[in-house]
Structure formats: C-alpha cells, structure tokens
Amino acid sequence: MSRAGLYGPWPRLLPLDVAKRSIAVARDIGARIGSDNCLSYTLTGAKGSQSSIRPPLSGLARGYAGLALACGHFDRCFPRECWDEPAHDHLERSIRIIEVQKSSTLGLFGGLCGVAFTAQYLNHRKRYTQLIRSLDALIYKTIPEVLEEYAYDKSHASSEFDLVSGLTGIGVYLLMRKQNENSRTLLKTVLRVLIDQTNLGNFPLGWHTSPESVEGRSLRQMFPDGCVNLGLAHGIPGPLALMAISKQNGVTPRGMNAAMQRLGDWLISCQCSDEWGINWPVAVPVSRSPLSPHQNCRTTPSRGAWCYGAPGIARTLWLLGRAMCCSTYCDCSLAALKAVYSRPYRARQLNSPMFCHGLAGVLQITVRTARDAGLQTLKDSVLELTNRILHAYDRTSVYGFRSEGHGPAADDPSVLEGVAGTALALMSAAVPIEPTWDRLFLIS
C-alpha cells in the first residue's frame, strides 16, 4: 500500500483500514462489471416490479467503453491480476457495436472520441496502437465538418459546445493525443472557436442557449427565455476547464489567456451564496441586451455535485488559478469547497453514491484538490465522503451499489451514473496510482 504508483507517486489519502475496505469494495465491483453481458439494468418500480434492459451502448459514459476504462485502471493498479482481459473484451464489444451501427457521433461521452479515449488509456501495453490510428482517422475526418456546422449555426445548444457531447469533449480527446501533430493542430482549432465565442463583444450572449435549444423540461421551465448553463458537464465551466488544462500542457492559442480570465471572472460574479457559503445556480437567464448577470440571475443554488453546482465549478476555478498563477481563483475554489463540506448532508442533495450527480464525483474532485492544496480539511473530507459511499454498499445488489436520483433506483454498471465510476473514485483515494482517467471529467 505504501509503494509509489507505476506512473509516479500518488499519496494514499485514507487511513489504512478504510483504504483496505475501499479496495475490497472496488475489487468486488470490478469482478461484477468484468463479467460477460453485464450491461443490464434492473429497475425497481414503485410497486416493486422489476425489468431488465440491455441497451447496446458503445460509449464511454454509459456503455462498454466505460467498463473497459474501469477495468483498464484496475490493470494499472494491479498489473499481475489480468484485468487487461475484461478491459479488452469490453472495448471489443464497443467497437463491434460501432461497426454494426456504421455511424457514430464524435461526442466524448457517447461517441467516437470516448471510445478512442478508452483505447488510448488502455494502450500502456501498446496493444491498441493500430486501433487508435483507425479511430483517429475517422475523428480527424469528421471534426472539420462539425466545426463548419458549428460556425454556420449562430444559436448553439449547450450540447454543441459542452463536455458531454460537444466541442469541449472533442478537445479533451485531442489534448490526450497532443503528441500527435494532427491532434495538436485540431485542438488549437477547437480552442480558437471557443475563444472566439468568449471574446464576442456581447459576452456572455455568445454562450446563450436559445429557448428552443434548452435541454430538459426542468431547465425549460426555469428559463423560458433561454439561459447560460453553469454546469461543468453542460455549461461554461467545461470550455474554461479545457482551456486551463490545455495551457498547463503547453497549448495556448492567441487570445486564450484573456478568454480564460473573462470566463473565470464572470463565473465568480454568478455565485449565489447561502448560509454556508459560496454556491452557484444551475444556469442564469440572459436577456438579448448585454446585462450583468446580477441583474437577471436566479439565486436558487444547485445541488453540490460534479455535473452542476459548487464542486465542479470550484475544481474549474482551481485549474484556472493554477494555469494563470492567480490566487484569486484558487482562493474562491477552496472557499466554495469549504462551503460544500459545511452544508448538512441533506442540503448537498447528493442522494446517490455514483459519479455524475452523486458522492463519487465530489470525492474525486476532493481527492485531486486535497493532493494539490495539501490541506488537512480536504483530506478529512475525503475520509467523510469515502465512508458515506462505503455505507451505501450492498453486497446483495446486482453490482454492489444502486443508483438513485432520476426515476427509480437502478442497478447500473456504467461509469457516469453507475458503479464503475464509484469504484474508480474509491480507488483514487485508496491506491497510490494516479487516476489519470479523470481527465474525462475535466478534473485533471
């Protein structure tokens, strides 16, 4: 447990007994999701009826590519235990689905970039070099078409630029492949599009999602005139985090520093504090004239999760502060995280142990920031969050945890809303191997 990781030293942040239990639970999940045909969901309705669903998903967030990623990380942590075999099997299933469908979007969470991200992550054994070249050829061919369509459409849905489905997610994969000349060139092009969108004179209207393009019934009801999304998953923090991480990796197109500062300052100005401290709403409404966000801002705070709310935004501001050598952004980030941990558990609205809108995503953010900042309060929060996740472990369930939140509780093996993401976060806190997979979520 005390040895340095294969990819550099990574501190174990948990007491030894909690770390051992976390690893045991993660291993149990790994054994379950590593089995054949595990992508089945058991939904329990209000009357207790059950039904099994087997969606033929290839993607990273909810499909076989994500399970391959999880097994691949187990292989890095325990290289003598043959975890590369289920990782290979799941990746092969993902590729077969793409071949059968004969078409796929580029999106990171559900498209080709996500599958390629997984293949690259698994390629530490140099097993997938040819596959990566083939996927890259498809991706490089399609990106100019996506950019042309994006430039033509002046009213963008958040899904066109966000991390999950849009340009930001494409940029995450290109950054992962930055040593490749084509990837680096296309990354700069994607960043320039996001920079230009930020530097429009009527900021933040360049990021405004029109009423007809707002996704989700609840958001449409909250913002009938459209909005600017503030979630890391679907909003402005995603492009900002990509810019910050790109700068830290030596990719800084002209105008990016000014764009980052503009986005960071605006995000800070959108905060809506509660009795425990800094928080942010899900989105802010913006009229067709360039107003300050305070003049037209919903003050209802979001849940405190990775996808929406203070944890995701705080991590983005931390990355921005590190990239810009600016303590203002880092201080705001730490203050926001302190407020997250100060809120009573119910006020955090985290009713699931999973990654997207649950405890695992906040744990991963806390693990990374605790390592970066070295603060004992953050390390204490790592322990608290880990214990809450372990308390939800149910050996009798299909995969070890049940996902709760939208709709009935579900037995879900996936990375985004299922047990694979929970296992990955537990491993980050318990095992001295750097969890570089979390670039997927713009956490590092």
Side-chain angles (χ1 to χ4, degrees):
M1 290 295 298
S2 62
R3 65 184 177 87
L6 297 177
Y7 300 87
W10 179 260
R12 172 171 54 81
L13 296 177
L14 295 172
L16 185 58
D17 59 332
V18 181
K20 287 182 175 179
R21 187 178 175 213
S22 298
I23 293 171
V25 168
R27 281 179 179 275
D28 179 57
I29 293 171
R32 300 185 194 212
I33 66 173
S35 63
D36 292 342
N37 300 317
C38 78
L39 256 187
S40 63
Y41 298 73
T42 303
L43 303 178
T44 303
K47 296 181 180 180
S49 61
Q50 292 186 336
S51 62
S52 294
I53 306 170
R54 286 187 177 143
L57 301 175
S58 62
L60 181 47
R62 293 186 173 92
Y64 287 116
L67 302 184
L69 180 79
C71 292
H73 188 64
F74 273 81
D75 184 45
R76 292 189 179 203
C77 294
F78 311 113
R80 298 180 181 179
E81 297 183 7
C82 300
W83 286 99
D84 58 320
E85 294 178 7
H88 174 78
D89 291 344
H90 283 317
L91 182 60
E92 193 172 58
R93 292 185 182 100
S94 179
I95 296 298
R96 283 204 300 267
I97 292 172
I98 291 174
E99 290 174 343
V100 169
Q101 292 175 341
K102 296 183 179 180
S103 66
S104 181
T105 63
L106 283 186
L108 183 65
F109 277 36
L112 287 174
C113 285
V115 177
F117 183 102
T118 297
Q120 179 67 29
Y121 193 78
L122 300 184
N123 202 40
H124 58 287
R125 297 182 186 275
K126 307 302 179 184
R127 187 177 185 179
Y128 302 103
T129 301
Q130 185 56 50
L131 172 61
I132 293 167
R133 287 174 182 163
S134 298
L135 290 170
D136 279 353
L138 287 172
I139 290 168
Y140 297 158
K141 178 182 176 181
T142 309
I143 286 177
E145 300 170 8
V146 172
L147 291 173
E148 183 178 355
E149 184 177 344
Y150 193 86
Y152 179 79
D153 183 6
K154 300 301 181 183
S155 178
H156 302 296
S158 60
S159 60
E160 295 177 40
F161 65 76
D162 70 8
L163 170 65
V164 172
S165 306
L167 293 182
T168 298
I170 294 171
V172 167
Y173 175 66
L174 295 173
L175 179 58
M176 190 184 200
R177 296 276 290 145
K178 67 181 186 298
Q179 302 305 325
N180 178 284
E181 184 178 349
N182 287 332
S183 289
R184 195 176 183 92
T185 299
L186 285 168
L187 172 60
K188 290 179 179 178
T189 302
V190 168
L191 287 170
R192 288 190 191 101
V193 171
L194 299 175
I195 292 165
D196 290 345
Q197 192 164 331
T198 301
N199 289 336
L200 290 174
N202 61 348
F203 178 86
L205 292 183
W207 298 99
H208 179 253
T209 300
S210 61
E212 61 273 13
S213 298
V214 173
E215 299 180 11
R217 180 186 303 175
S218 60
L219 272 182
R220 287 194 296 271
Q221 290 175 343
M222 290 173 64
F223 305 104
D225 297 322
C227 64
V228 177
N229 194 300
L230 298 185
L232 178 53
H234 295 292
I236 279 183
L240 176 56
L242 175 63
M243 292 180 197
I245 297 170
S246 296
K247 180 177 173 63
Q248 288 179 306
N249 281 268
V251 183
T252 311
R254 183 177 180 180
M256 194 167 81
N257 287 343
M260 287 193 293
Q261 183 175 349
R262 193 173 201 183
L263 288 172
D265 292 348
W266 191 79
L267 266 181
I268 289 176
S269 75
C270 287
Q271 63 185 264
C272 54
S273 301
D274 57 24
E275 60 187 287
W276 297 283
I278 298 173
N279 207 336
W280 280 268
V282 171
V284 293
V286 181
S287 72
R288 285 298 173 184
S289 60
L291 298 175
S292 161
H294 291 301
Q295 293 177 261
N296 202 18
C297 179
R298 295 287 182 115
T299 57
T300 303
S302 168
R303 74 167 79 218
W306 165 80
C307 55
Y308 285 101
I313 295 175
R315 185 60 189 172
T316 298
L317 291 173
W318 178 266
L319 293 169
L320 175 63
R322 292 286 291 268
M324 301 286 284
C325 299
C326 178
S327 60
T328 299
Y329 299 127
C330 290
D331 291 346
C332 183
S333 169
L334 294 176
L337 288 176
K338 180 181 179 181
V340 169
Y341 310 133
S342 298
R343 291 184 182 95
Y345 182 63
R346 288 190 177 183
R348 302 182 200 178
Q349 303 178 58
L350 299 176
N351 54 357
S352 171
M354 309 316 183
F355 202 98
C356 180
H357 46 270
L359 290 164
V362 181
L363 173 59
Q364 188 65 28
I365 288 169
T366 308
V367 166
R368 276 285 182 184
T369 311
R371 180 183 183 276
D372 292 346
L375 297 178
Q376 186 60 46
T377 53
L378 291 172
K379 296 176 183 178
D380 292 343
S381 295
V382 169
L383 177 60
E384 184 243 332
L385 290 163
T386 301
N387 281 329
R388 286 194 178 276
I389 291 174
L390 293 175
H391 181 72
Y393 174 63
D394 179 5
R395 185 184 295 273
T396 65
S397 65
V398 177
Y399 299 113
F401 291 97
R402 305 202 78 204
S403 176
E404 298 180 4
H406 305 298
D411 293 299
D412 183 343
S414 72
V415 166
L416 184 64
E417 296 182 353
V419 298
T422 306
L424 285 170
L426 288 173
M427 296 283 282
S428 297
V431 178
I433 302 290
E434 182 174 5
T436 54
W437 56 265
D438 65 0
R439 174 70 58 80
L440 161 68
F441 295 101
L442 284 175
I443 295 175
S444 68

